[in-house]
Amino acid sequence: MPRTSLTALPAFALRPPHRHPTRHALLMVGAAVTLALAACGSPTSLPAGHGKGVDAAGRDTGPSTAVTGAPPASLIASPTATSSASAAAPAAPAAIATPIAVPSADITAPRALPADQSSYAGRADAAQLADELARQHELPLPWTRDVIAQARYREVIGRLIMPAANPGAKNWAAYRSRFVEPQRLRSGQRFWQLHAADLQRAEARYGVPAHIVAGVIGVETLYGRDTGRFRVLDALTTLSLDFPKGRSDRSAFFRQELGEFLLMCREQGLEPTQVLGSFAGAIGWPQFMPSSIRRHGVDFDGDGHIDLINSPTDAIGSVANFLAAHGWQAQWPTHFQVQPPGRGPQLDALLAPDIRPTFTANQMQELGAQLPASAMNHPGPLAMVLLHNAGKAPTIIAGTRNFYAITRYNQSSYYALAVIELGEAISRAAARGNP
């Protein structure tokens, strides 16, 4: 998962694109290279988005290993989109948009490829992969073979997917400063102004507060500015067939995502060679992997299509739907302040489950933690979450199931707290009426 994010202009344009049922090429105008956050911990999946990231030391790194997916490269184009705040909400958002067209299977004449690219057209393993995907996902075999033959091996993707060679000491303060910073706050306030009605509608429908949704999109792509410029077909095929040595092999995951991507393209009438995203295959404003788009993407603007590339409204609904599906509880806080016990077996016991909520408030108290009254009255389990500060005193909080739900987007406590604090800062500025 986790992307993607930093740089100067607002992450959105003010005019919507002309949207047409067969808009294959239009969906990709203005995409920029992605950056997804590097997870802190031991992620096991990529639930939403990911791409070039920031490690727990607060530095640019290779990929996030968890959404989602999922921030930033230094290219500047952004999708053209605007809010549909005045549009009436559909009766029930569809999980998958109604199929609108079958992409053409025609193959254009091959062109000379750059030095860092090579075609998969002549490779036996690529033909075998196409046959497997067609069989597994009930795709037309000739179409699937033609699409995979148009994929290109990208050597740079193999480099970017690797973890940082020298990750450095984990540092929450440095990590936070990459996301809760003036440029992102300005863009976030503008995003909030343009899409306030959609954010409120998503909160009413899914129970996820507006500031959490705004925080996710801001951390992932700087409000649509850095959504990625790699062809998703190239990224997923490269990572399916040429996953680099030197780290745990995730090629099976990317093969599954490649199949989901092909299904998504047929369902939504997209030309597979034209869809852009991160180097790990995450797509659009929220940097969803294809499987997350098919499972959790919603047509929140009611135009009949799920479009996370050009529609910030669809992105807002989809992020809220994703978090709700991963256990978000309406009206619950994300975390509480906590005074942990001193070093010893009690603290070790509290930290052992990591970010997974495991203890009742009373159990935490019995193990020596001091919690505020609001936490003592909290009905759900809590986790003792520790974030390092590069040798200084760590930041420690008591995370709820809602904090854990954010880590399903990117399996990192640093990521989750950055989302929360960015969203809260934007919400406070909006309440003050700051421009």
Side-chain angles (χ1 to χ4, degrees), residues 336 361-365 369-379 382:
F336 300 98
N362 285 332
Q363 288 172 331
M364 274 196 167
Q365 192 174 55
Q370 298 178 35
L371 293 162
S374 57
M376 295 303 300
N377 294 325
H378 182 67
L382 301 171

Side-chain angles (χ1 to χ4, degrees), residues 93-422:
I96 298 296
T98 302
I100 57 177
V102 175
S104 169
D106 294 340
I107 306 177
T108 57
R111 299 178 182 178
L113 298 178
D116 73 330
Q117 302 180 29
S118 60
S119 174
Y120 280 102
R123 285 181 44 170
D125 58 347
Q128 181 180 357
L129 175 61
D131 291 355
E132 291 172 357
L133 294 175
R135 182 170 59 254
Q136 179 182 353
H137 298 286
E138 298 182 350
L139 294 164
L141 181 57
W143 179 82
T144 307
R145 287 177 173 172
D146 286 346
V147 171
I148 298 301
Q150 294 179 78
R152 299 172 183 174
Y153 167 71
R154 297 294 309 276
E155 185 269 341
V156 65
I157 289 172
R159 294 200 309 269
L160 291 172
I161 203 72
M162 294 296 288
N166 181 19
K170 295 180 179 180
N171 188 337
W172 159 241
Y175 187 98
R176 181 186 186 278
S177 70
R178 299 299 301 272
F179 299 103
V180 187
E181 48 83 25
Q183 179 188 330
R184 207 173 301 258
L185 290 170
R186 288 191 299 270
S187 294
Q189 291 168 46
R190 181 65 170 152
F191 177 82
W192 190 287
Q193 291 168 352
L194 287 173
H195 304 292
D198 293 324
L199 290 164
Q200 292 168 6
R201 186 160 57 92
E203 182 169 351
R205 178 167 297 174
Y206 299 108
V208 180
H211 75 273
I212 296 294
V213 175
V216 168
I217 296 174
V219 167
E220 288 293 336
T221 61
L222 213 168
Y223 304 100
R225 182 189 176 91
D226 297 320
T227 59
R229 66 171 186 174
F230 289 90
R231 294 200 315 174
V232 172
L233 176 64
D234 296 343
L236 296 177
T237 306
T238 296
L239 295 172
S240 294
L241 294 174
D242 292 289
F243 196 88
K245 308 295 184 184
R247 66 168 298 171
S248 178
D249 184 5
R250 304 301 308 282
S251 59
F253 168 81
F254 289 104
R255 285 175 182 242
Q256 182 63 33
E257 289 298 330
L258 179 56
E260 297 277 356
F261 173 69
L262 297 180
L263 283 169
M264 182 193 80
C265 287
R266 288 190 67 83
E267 290 165 348
Q268 299 191 22
L270 306 177
E271 169 52 53
T273 62
Q274 299 301 309
V275 181
L276 304 183
S278 80
F279 61 76
I283 297 169
W285 285 58
Q287 290 292 277
F288 273 19
M289 295 300 289
S291 62
S292 288
I293 295 176
R294 296 190 68 243
R295 290 184 181 91
H296 306 297
V298 294
D299 171 24
F300 208 54
D301 61 12
D303 72 346
H305 314 298
I306 298 172
D307 182 0
L308 302 188
I309 296 167
N310 294 303
S311 173
T313 300
D314 285 0
I316 287 167
S318 298
V319 169
N321 185 41
F322 179 94
L323 292 172
H326 286 80
W328 188 275
Q329 300 294 311
Q331 307 303 320
W332 281 18
T334 55
H335 63 285
F336 300 98
Q337 299 303 312
V338 60
Q339 181 64 43
R343 291 183 179 179
Q346 289 181 314
L347 180 60
D348 292 343
L350 286 168
L351 293 175
D354 196 24
I355 57 178
R356 183 179 294 277
T358 303
F359 304 99
T360 66
N362 285 332
Q363 288 172 331
M364 274 196 167
Q365 192 174 55
E366 290 168 1
L367 287 168
Q370 298 178 35
L371 293 162
S374 57
M376 295 303 300
N377 294 325
H378 182 67
L382 301 171
M384 184 76 76
V385 179
L386 184 148
L387 298 89
H388 294 280
N389 281 306
K392 297 181 181 179
T395 298
I396 301 179
I397 60 173
T400 70
R401 281 179 177 161
N402 284 352
F403 187 91
Y404 186 73
I406 299 172
T407 68
R408 301 308 87 200
Y409 207 107
N410 182 311
Q411 295 182 29
S412 162
S413 55
Y414 297 76
Y415 172 90
L417 197 54
V419 162
I420 293 163
E421 296 201 1
L422 173 62

